[in-house]
Amino acid sequence: MTENAAMEKELLFYEAYEQFYDMAAHSEAFSAFCADAFGEDFSQDGFSDIAQVNRILDYIPEREEPHILDIGCGNGKMLGYLQKQTGAWIYGFDYSRNAIRTARQRFPEKSDFIQGVIGQVQYPPDKFDMITSMDTLYFAPDMPDFLGQILNWLKKGGVFFAAYQEGEVMPRTENAHTTVCAKALAQRGIPYEVFDITGQTYDMFVKKRQAARRHEADFEKENRREWFDMLMGQTEYADQSRESFSEKMARYIYIVRK
């Protein structure tokens, strides 16, 4: 067994994500669903809609051709959008071979995409103006250590932008300052800003569920019923009240400036 094959065998959700990114590369139904549900097709397997991604633009340092790294970049569509808006050099790593293959094909200019795992990928110090993590910090085997690594990769004046959700992979805690992420930042003495977007996320769940239903026939035509079922399973909370949702789920954006 090769080193990559051994690594892939041990990774959380690896096969599921390989199947997901293979589907995303070929499904017109899924692309149309993403644009409908999130305002832009970034092949989302979560809840990063265009409003959240546009918030990133507000924090990118005003430099000519900024260098942006996305941790767990998937197929690179979000980075491609940021590049189009800013002229940035874009970098990303993801453990999915299918995702990285697509990213390299779609965005070959001013870019560097590699297959790699959090905690193992290395970059030089002071390389990036902006680092993003959209629902990927959960995969860090040692979150305080990895946050220190992120700060090392950032240039002075650089910004780390992280979308972080509780209630699924990570347990729901009391508030934005009691999450595993917040505690890891505090452990390393890293100041941060945080925004609670739980309410907006509930609205997004509702919109995502409605969009899935609108595209059900499209998935059926492609013989991809299982992916429609996945979307409905992901959005069961949309059938509950906002208050009930907030008791079980939370979503935050953390901002760290170097």
Side-chain angles (χ1 to χ4, degrees):
M1 182 179 294
T2 67
E3 183 177 349
N4 273 354
M7 172 193 76
E8 292 161 3
K9 187 175 181 181
E10 297 177 358
L11 292 173
L12 185 66
F13 308 138
Y14 179 79
E15 288 300 330
Y17 274 117
E18 282 294 86
Q19 294 171 21
F20 172 82
Y21 283 113
D22 180 64
M23 177 276 295
H26 299 97
S27 174
E28 293 182 6
F30 186 69
S31 179
F33 157 77
C34 287
D36 190 2
F38 304 113
E40 190 81 21
D41 171 22
F42 297 138
S43 296
Q44 289 95 329
D45 186 40
F47 304 98
S48 298
D49 68 355
I50 190 62
Q52 289 181 39
V53 174
N54 279 336
R55 290 179 77 151
I56 297 172
L57 295 171
D58 295 335
Y59 292 94
I60 297 174
E62 294 184 7
R63 296 168 183 167
E64 187 175 350
E65 296 187 334
H67 289 238
I68 303 174
L69 169 68
D70 186 28
I71 297 164
C73 63
N75 59 18
K77 287 185 178 180
M78 186 188 81
L79 277 172
Y81 175 80
L82 296 177
Q83 184 182 63
K84 183 177 180 180
Q85 302 302 313
T86 65
W89 287 79
I90 53 176
Y91 304 78
F93 70 88
D94 199 287
Y95 67 13
S96 167
R97 281 181 295 173
N98 285 338
I100 294 301
R101 182 184 302 116
T102 300
R104 288 170 175 167
Q105 291 170 348
R106 292 182 66 94
F107 308 104
E109 302 297 327
K110 295 168 56 177
S111 64
D112 183 28
F113 295 98
I114 61 175
Q115 185 187 9
V117 179
I118 287 176
Q120 298 180 18
V121 173
Q122 300 292 330
Y123 291 102
D126 307 313
K127 183 172 179 64
F128 302 108
D129 300 290
M130 162 71 76
I131 297 177
T132 59
S133 167
M134 309 303 280
D135 299 290
T136 53
L137 286 179
Y138 326 121
F139 297 97
D142 185 326
M143 197 176 296
D145 183 68
F146 185 55
L147 288 168
Q149 193 172 30
I150 289 170
L151 265 290
N152 186 50
W153 294 341
L154 276 175
K155 298 176 184 177
K156 186 176 181 180
V159 179
F160 174 51
F161 182 108
Y164 185 92
Q165 191 153 304
E166 290 190 322
E168 292 181 328
V169 177
M170 304 301 286
R172 178 73 162 95
T173 66
E174 185 176 354
N175 57 53
H177 302 290
T178 58
T179 67
V180 173
C181 178
K183 289 181 176 180
L185 288 166
Q187 180 179 328
R188 294 198 66 93
I190 300 172
Y192 63 87
E193 304 166 53
V194 63
F195 302 93
D196 187 334
I197 58 168
T198 303
Q200 297 98 303
T201 301
Y202 173 77
D203 294 339
M204 200 187 312
F205 265 91
V206 173
K207 186 177 180 182
K208 182 176 178 179
R209 195 166 182 83
Q210 293 170 345
R213 286 176 170 143
R214 284 193 292 272
H215 293 276
E216 180 177 4
D218 299 329
F219 284 100
E220 291 278 10
K221 287 177 184 177
E222 292 185 352
N223 294 317
R224 300 184 192 273
R225 175 76 195 192
E226 70 275 17
W227 296 105
F228 167 79
D229 292 339
M230 176 197 74
L231 296 172
M232 295 302 289
Q234 287 179 342
T235 56
E236 289 178 339
Y237 286 119
D239 290 336
Q240 302 179 17
S241 68
R242 182 185 294 263
E243 292 73 21
S244 178
F245 172 83
S246 297
E247 290 175 359
K248 299 171 183 175
M249 303 283 290
R251 188 167 179 81
Y252 308 108
I253 290 175
Y254 290 92
I255 306 293
V256 174
R257 303 173 191 268
K258 183 173 180 181

